[in-house]
Amino acid sequence: MTILEQMTARAKQNPQRIVLPEGDEPRTLEAANLLLKDQLAKLILIGSRQVIEQMAAEKGYEYIKNATIFDPATEPKMQEYAQLLYELRKAKGMTEEEAAKKAQDPLYLGCLMIKNGDADGELAGARGTTADTIRPAFQILKTKPGCKIVSGAFLMFTPATNLGEGGFLVFADCAVNPCPNAEELAQIAISTAETARSLAQIEPRVAMLSFSTKGSAKHELVDKVTEATRLAKEMAPELNIDGELQADAALIASVGEKKAPGSPVAGKANVLVFPDLQAGNIGYKLVERFSGADAVGPILQGIAAPVNDLSRGCKVQDIVQMVIITANQAMK
């Protein structure tokens, strides 16, 4: 059974309440019908009840009837959510009138549902930007205790079965932070290890990537990765992590033995932490395009509750997979 099949089985055994703020987005609605058909989640669709039901009828999406449709225009609970938002943000200067207006935004509303205990996770982004998705999560749910930074990881399913965990690796940060400092990079490493452990149920072997391996080059960018490695080991001493490592030293046993002899990670890494967003984003896309790898994500890490983002170019199957991943995150 593949890692994705394992996650799918867990989602079916323990359906989570996942809110989809873009309830009337065509791909989202089609994905919702498939998820409900296979009983992979308890879905909450935000949007006009009339529009959603009409779209479902026109497309023959018979399982949408099993979703909870939350229509902000008619739901009396909107007042409760607006009051919750006001209480959370009044110290930042938000008025009750502003809270009532902001709560109408489906992305804010989805996070308010999670905060209020009415949903377990959220998936959005088919229509908006990553910033649009993350901003309400920051303001309402905030980050996990001990973590100050949100990052984006990709599950990489590659045909190179000799690498990582039978061809499976986790890459981060590939979606959120342009230039993390050493402390932030350390937190990204710890979050990504937790993603590997909780979602893929593998023991993470984390490589902190650089253009240098164990001092082979001298530069302030190398120093940042070295310091991040030290901090990550200090923050999570149980974590199997090493750096700084070049990509080949991290992945190829013969190279790792030569460049970093005695390293517990070199040559067998299954988690790759890139030094900045340029490297991470370019790296995962090159692997995806050149090797035919399946890149699933971005999975947002560090938020106090599961909130995930989609590409605006996402396909229906992408949405299905990300709901399954969000549900698995919520089971924790």
Side-chain angles (χ1 to χ4, degrees), residues 252-275:
I252 309 299
S254 59
V255 179
E257 290 170 7
K258 183 178 180 181
K259 291 187 174 184
S263 168
V265 171
K268 46 184 176 288
N270 54 22
V271 173
L272 302 185
V273 177
F274 292 82

Side-chain angles (χ1 to χ4, degrees), residues 28 82 136 172 186 193 225 262 269-270 276 315 324 331:
T28 300
V225 177
N270 54 22
D276 58 36
K315 299 175 183 177
I324 291 169
M331 289 176 201

Side-chain angles (χ1 to χ4, degrees), residues 200-263:
Q201 297 195 340
I202 62 174
E203 188 55 34
R205 299 182 296 273
V206 184
M208 305 294 282
L209 297 184
S210 177
F211 60 85
S212 169
T213 297
K214 298 296 184 177
S216 64
K218 303 295 182 184
H219 194 276
E220 61 185 16
L221 294 177
V222 176
D223 295 340
K224 181 181 81 168
V225 177
T226 305
E227 176 65 5
T229 305
R230 185 191 69 78
L231 290 170
K233 289 179 177 180
E234 189 177 277
M235 288 187 268
E238 77 289 352
L239 186 58
N240 200 6
I241 183 170
D242 202 9
E244 82 285 7
L245 296 172
Q246 291 164 291
D248 57 351
L251 294 169
I252 309 299
S254 59
V255 179
E257 290 170 7
K258 183 178 180 181
K259 291 187 174 184
S263 168

Side-chain angles (χ1 to χ4, degrees), residues 266-327:
K268 46 184 176 288
N270 54 22
V271 173
L272 302 185
V273 177
F274 292 82
D276 58 36
L277 183 56
Q278 288 195 96
N281 193 270
I282 292 167
Y284 100 80
K285 289 182 177 178
L286 285 175
V287 172
E288 183 181 27
R289 299 301 177 181
F290 275 106
S291 74
D294 187 12
V296 179
I299 299 163
L300 296 183
Q301 309 175 134
I303 303 173
V307 173
N308 280 315
D309 183 42
L310 293 163
S311 164
R312 280 172 284 181
C314 64
K315 299 175 183 177
V316 170
Q317 189 56 33
D318 297 330
I319 300 173
V320 171
Q321 288 180 340
M322 287 303 296
V323 167
I324 291 169
I325 286 169
T326 306

